[in-house]
Amino acid sequence: MSVAALIHQLASYLLKLIVDAFEAGDTESIPYIVALYPISYFLIQAIYRGAAFAIGKTCIGGKEHLYNQVTKYVLGHSHQYFSDRFAGSVMGKVSNATKAFESFVEYVLWNYLDSLVVLVSALIFVSLVSVHAGLVLLALVFILILFNYHLSKHAQRYAKISADAQSKQSGVLVDIISNANTVRQFKRLPQETETVSHVSKLARQAEIKTRFFGEWMLLGNALIITLSFGLIMWFLVQDWQAELITTGSIVFIIGLLMGMGYQLLFLGNAFVSGSEQFGQLKDSIAELLIPHSITDPETATLLTVPRGEIIWKDIAFEYGPNKVFSNFSLTIPPGQRIGIVGPSGSGKSTFVSLLLRQYDVTSGSISIDGQDIRNVTQDSLRENIAVVPQEPSLFHRTIRENITYGNPDATDEEVIAAAKKAEAHDFIDQLPLKYDTLVGERGVKLSGGQKQRVAIARAILKDAPILILDEATSALDSESEVAIQKALHILMEGKTVIAVAHRLSTLREMNRIIVLENGTITEDGTHQTLENQPGTYQRLWRHQAGGFVGE
């Protein structure tokens, strides 16, 4: 690109030679000099196109690499990171970062580098023709760089505001579309339309400010360039009248100035556009690449679970200003099936999150078979734990791909066997594409019970030594629950099981049930023991067994 820009400048020198040859009446040289002009034009374009191919390949490959690396890093963030952000906003920032990277690199190469070569070479050529004109041009470049650099800081600030507004616009829209059914059911379309209109208005206003600021910069550049070029032309006329330069030299300088005029004017736009892209890149990267709050230590080892004993020792954990656990201790022997019951806000979900190390404890330790979970890799920890969540999270992929997510190497026979144990095979077999049926975004094409059965089949296929059932049968009808309880009974054999449930009927087969209230174990025993013991569990059981939930 530098070579092409230099030859482009030298092409103006051919105009000087042509004019001087015509003035001198050198008819022999004119045809050859004139022929060089189209040849130089083709050579310039050929070199530019070669540079464009190289830049395009580099930018596209770099964008792919950045997209992959940023996505990998973002997925390493903690549960808290995603809880505090719109999925659409995070997606928008990843997209903005990759696009801004490509645009910024292209701006640096096509505009900054190209302009630098043009300005330096022009400055040399003009100075060789007229020292006074060269000094004016040097001062012009210096003033423009200072002027645009100063204003580019403000442009970056406007670009950040615009990028934030656009990310928020994207996040709000994704959130509304994800809950389209709720919007219709509650007749909130006018209100949500107004919400979209409001964030769109803010994004528009921010973008208008950014664009208008760029136009004012260009106008300022045009004024400075006009005054400077006028002064240069005055010096050239003076030198020509004094017969210090030829007519061809004036044509040469005018040709350089015409080419530079666009470059110098665009210098401001390049600063603005480059600042916008850099601002977007900086803003997106700063948000996406914040340090991971949950990390593996350098000495982390792989978790091995030969027995499945889980020990909570003097655990303290605070979620913001709320203290969830304080001096909490619990031992779960190998192979024990333990149920966790308690009112909302008692710490049940936090209990599961801490075991999965979605949060780190404030103090104390959680160990599995004598290994502190903070000293093992997160991947190996979660590889040894199968989870059936209350709200199954399915990908917009086939049923087979969703079931095999925990065991990608499973055979079709193993997938079908797991589906049968989860009471899912019958409804899958009735679908047009059977196991190759796409489930839709977040499994929207399946009912709540069907999604739950697919999630259970996935856990069965994973066959981890520790099993967490987080309201695993909450979306099932009574007949399906009875059938799946049989499958879960088989699945739980030889495993350490932690089952969180509001429907106490799902806990009757647990070896042990604990009642959590305000982060404290208030009751601990079997179903039979707690059923006959005055307390929270007995009260909840009688309410549910009676067919209603009382106060």
Side-chain angles (χ1 to χ4, degrees), residues 66 111 115 153 165 272 342 354 358 420 436 473 477 528 549-550:
L66 180 64
N111 298 310
S115 296
K153 296 180 180 178
V272 173
L354 290 176
Q358 293 176 338
K420 287 181 176 179
D436 292 321
T473 60
D477 56 74
Q528 290 77 16
V549 178

Side-chain angles (χ1 to χ4, degrees), residues 388-390 452-453 456 468-476 484 488 500:
V388 181
Q390 180 177 1
Q452 202 113 28
R453 297 180 204 188
I456 291 172
I468 296 178
L469 305 174
D470 188 1
E471 298 287 354
T473 60
S474 62
L476 304 178
I484 288 182
L488 291 178
V500 179

Side-chain angles (χ1 to χ4, degrees), residues 78-201:
S78 67
H79 179 73
Q80 180 68 45
Y81 179 89
F82 295 102
S83 298
D84 293 340
R85 291 165 176 82
F86 281 124
S89 179
V90 175
M91 176 196 71
K93 287 189 178 295
V94 173
S95 179
N96 286 342
T98 53
K99 290 179 181 177
F101 162 79
E102 181 181 22
S103 299
F104 181 68
V105 171
E106 289 194 351
Y107 262 103
V108 168
L109 295 174
W110 280 110
N111 298 310
Y112 295 165
L113 178 61
D114 187 64
S115 296
L116 179 64
V117 174
V118 169
L119 294 178
V120 171
S121 60
L123 184 60
I124 294 173
F125 294 147
V126 171
S127 299
L128 290 175
V129 174
S130 172
V131 175
H132 295 99
L135 290 175
V136 174
L137 184 58
L138 179 61
L140 168 62
V141 172
F142 184 72
I143 292 171
L144 281 177
I145 290 176
L146 287 180
F147 176 74
N148 288 282
Y149 176 74
H150 175 70
L151 293 184
S152 68
K153 296 180 180 178
H154 297 285
Q156 285 190 35
R157 179 166 55 85
Y158 284 124
K160 182 181 185 306
I161 295 173
S162 180
D164 287 341
Q166 290 177 18
S167 293
K168 183 176 180 180
Q169 181 185 26
S170 175
V172 169
L173 185 59
V174 170
D175 185 48
I176 293 173
I177 291 176
S178 299
N179 294 280
N181 286 335
T182 305
V183 173
R184 285 194 294 268
Q185 290 167 6
F186 285 85
K187 297 188 295 183
R188 298 284 294 180
L189 181 58
Q191 291 80 2
E192 297 301 345
T193 302
E194 182 63 28
T195 299
V196 172
S197 177
H198 176 68
V199 295
S200 297
K201 180 181 178 182

Side-chain angles (χ1 to χ4, degrees), residues 324-393:
V324 183
F325 292 112
S326 180
N327 297 321
F328 180 87
S329 296
L330 174 68
T331 298
I332 304 176
Q336 187 174 76
R337 301 192 297 273
I338 183 172
I340 302 178
V341 180
S344 297
S346 61
K348 302 188 300 297
S349 297
T350 305
F351 183 93
V352 173
S353 294
L354 290 176
L355 181 59
L356 290 169
R357 208 183 165 211
Q358 293 176 338
Y359 303 99
D360 268 335
V361 297
T362 306
S363 62
S365 65
I366 302 173
S367 61
I368 298 176
D369 285 342
Q371 303 157 86
D372 192 323
I373 63 173
R374 290 171 297 187
N375 296 330
V376 300
T377 64
Q378 297 175 66
D379 286 344
S380 66
L381 169 66
R382 293 156 192 164
E383 184 180 5
N384 284 282
I385 302 176
V387 182
V388 181
Q390 180 177 1
E391 296 181 5
S393 179

Side-chain angles (χ1 to χ4, degrees), residues 535-546:
T536 300
Y537 187 85
Q538 184 189 70
R539 184 174 68 255
L540 291 174
W541 175 257
R542 288 180 177 176
H543 287 326
Q544 292 193 20

Side-chain angles (χ1 to χ4, degrees), residues 104 107 112 147-149 151-156 158-159 209-218 221 265-280:
F104 181 68
Y107 262 103
Y112 295 165
F147 176 74
N148 288 282
Y149 176 74
L151 293 184
S152 68
K153 296 180 180 178
H154 297 285
Q156 285 190 35
Y158 284 124
K209 286 183 179 180
T210 302
R211 290 200 179 190
F212 278 21
F213 187 78
E215 294 302 322
W216 281 112
M217 283 185 68
L218 288 178
N221 283 342
L265 181 64
F266 195 73
L267 183 64
N269 195 31
F271 265 105
V272 173
S273 299
S275 296
E276 287 179 5
Q277 303 304 333
F278 183 75
Q280 286 188 13

